[in-house]
Amino acid sequence: MAITFALIGNQNCGKTTLFNQLTGSNQHVGNFPGVTVEKKEGYLRNHKEITIVDLPGMYSLSPYSPEEVVTRDYLIFSPPDVLINIVDATSLERNLYLTLQLMELDLPMVVALNMMDEVKASGGTIDIKLMSELLGVPIVPISASKNQGLDELMRVAMVVAGQKNRPATRDFCVGDVHRAVHSISYIIEEEAKAARVPVRFAAIKIVEGDEPMTRLLNLREMETDIIGHIIEDMEKRLHMDRDAALADMCYQYIEKICAQVVIKENETREQIRSVKIDSVLTNRVFALPLFFAIMLLIFWLTFRVIGAFFSDLLSYGINAFVSGADVVLTNMGINPTVHSLLIDGVFAGVGSVLSFLPIIVVLFLFLSLLEDSGYMARVAFVMDQILLKIGLSGRSFVPMLIGFGCSVPAIMATRTLPSQRDRKMTILLTPFMSCSAKLPIYALFTAVFFPQHKTLVMMALYLMGMIVAIVVAFLLKKTIFKGPTVPFVMELPVYRMPALKTVLLHMWQKAKDFLTKAFTIIFVATVLIWFLQSFDLHFNLVSDSSKSMLAAVGRLVAPIFAPLGFGDWRASTALITGLTAKEAVISTFAVLLGASNGLSLPQMMAHLFTPLTAFSFLTFTLLYMPCVAAMAATKRELGGSLAALGAMLFQTGVAWVVAFIIYQVGRIWFV
Amino acid sequence: MTLDQLCVGQQAKIVSVGGGGALRRRFLDMGLIPNTVVKVRKVAPLGDPIEIYLRGYELTLRLADARNIEITEI
């Protein structure tokens, strides 16, 4: 018999740790149908018949974020067999607020009281038996990170699933709210049954003024009128509006329970330690310098030391493999075209992208350490003011920062943003942060055209990316993403040691994502480019790529770049191949300029560009649409090809305009 | 007096939570309701947002939003 357990709890309650402990690596991440809200599922270890669903972390079932709406619909319309509510024992009151709301759903339910070890270590304790009696739900103390109590939790969940034990209805509504809920329950009973929602839950939501529920029940006008009067009456008696009245009542009930079950509540050792760490890390003077130091260290380790080492090792291996395959294919007498497709197209293309894998994995190792330790929330706290100025919130800072390394993980990291508006804006802006793959291009051009001012030009480019992002953000704020900025309210979790398992699983998932992409979309793209580069318009194989279809396409689009100062077909072709990976811009120049005929590549380049057009070209390279891998990530995160296409056109448009201005204004000074 | 006027280290009791819509609902859901004791723990390096402590956890919010929360000194 197939059984589903759903995990639900506040953010930072240890839900993901529990999920990882229960399922190990038997998990897959998908989306809820029709929305980009993540749905993680997995099998209970050694129990294929038990599916565990990890629902998004949330503080209440009020329908104000897409995640909450999706979760609520999921719980009401395709209820799991057992709801496992994870409650953080170290901040019991706030966690129990969600518990009360979940109890109203009238589903079989178990409470997993997490972090009991931390409460006990601080000398406090919680009377679990009494709490279970008061709430009317079974409660199992666990420590997800130490893997304690999980067997017992699963045993109890199985019993609850078998007996379909619903929470004993503890009517925590009192006084005037109680009267309102009951009167409304009678009125909406039939509609609630027709809509298949628990009557009491529906009544409470109606008292709250919940719009989706009001729509769902489709009440008659007369009923709506009566309900309006009931609520008005309640508000008048309580001297409070409906929202405040309900929250107030729930918290009063929770405080009463906590007063009975919590024995000696101290700040835990972790909380005290956290305050101490924060006195340094979020110190008004040290916070910013420390943050930049940490980021520099991470980038240095990722792109210069660890990641670079493994990347070099991997590309060495890939090259060895490719030359090995080359020899084998040649010896086997394979058709030269197929040979070229495999070696120059597939192996070279996919191989060059694959060599990025170690950098991505290492970068994500550090990011997941930052995230799981609790530091990322502090970064958002420290940076919020800066980003508020461009219409975003502190949370958008992290993805943009990763963008200096690679846009792919950066765009993937926007998943953590709570608002769709912030997410879309961040995804659009992130590619303006100059990614590391563009560095070789800058290096070549500055060496040729600005030998005296290499560093200065490079810094100017990085700075320009940021300035363009800021200007674009301003424009977006005033046009497409109008309206008030999303409020920034965020829990700052206690610093905790990241769980090794969670970190490793996270790395594994990112690696898997990346590999999937490398072998699907990038594979197709490289084959396409190879094809365009190897055949002419009559589908004859060409030996000179200047006669290829790619060159024809290059010539076709070249006029577009003429006003930017580089109307040569080779420059536009390089920009096109640069879409597979930005490094390809350099290799394309090398091939197309025929660097072998006596002149070196830098000398040949000097014929093609002047310093001004070179700078204009670099500007365009910096800002135009990102590589295929980043576009694929954009498509996935924006949830559609059309949106991704819009983003690409937009970014390329911005690049064109900026390069145009630079070239045309520059011409006035340096004729 | 409103929450944004509270200095670092000071405690106060919430009188009412103003504003409206999703944000107010979120504040209420997270336990910022009348009679709750809150303490300002920290101010971000650029002066905004602030970090408050209540019900055993830490929350960060912007001064503009804190302005909607009416408090009284204890």
Side-chain angles (χ1 to χ4, degrees), chain B residues 11-31:
Chain B
Q11 273 196 342
K13 203 191 257 182
I14 294 178
V15 176
S16 70
V17 179
L23 180 65
R24 174 166 190 261
R25 184 73 231 178
R26 163 93 342 139
F27 280 149
L28 294 169
D29 286 344
M30 295 192 83

Side-chain angles (χ1 to χ4, degrees), chain A residues 627-660:
Chain A
C627 67
V628 199
M631 283 189 282
T634 306
K635 179 185 159 235
R636 215 179 58 170
E637 298 306 323
L638 285 180
S641 314
L642 209 66
L645 191 73
M648 280 152 48
L649 287 176
F650 176 75
Q651 283 152 350
T652 311
V654 169
W656 195 91
V657 170
V658 177
F660 177 81

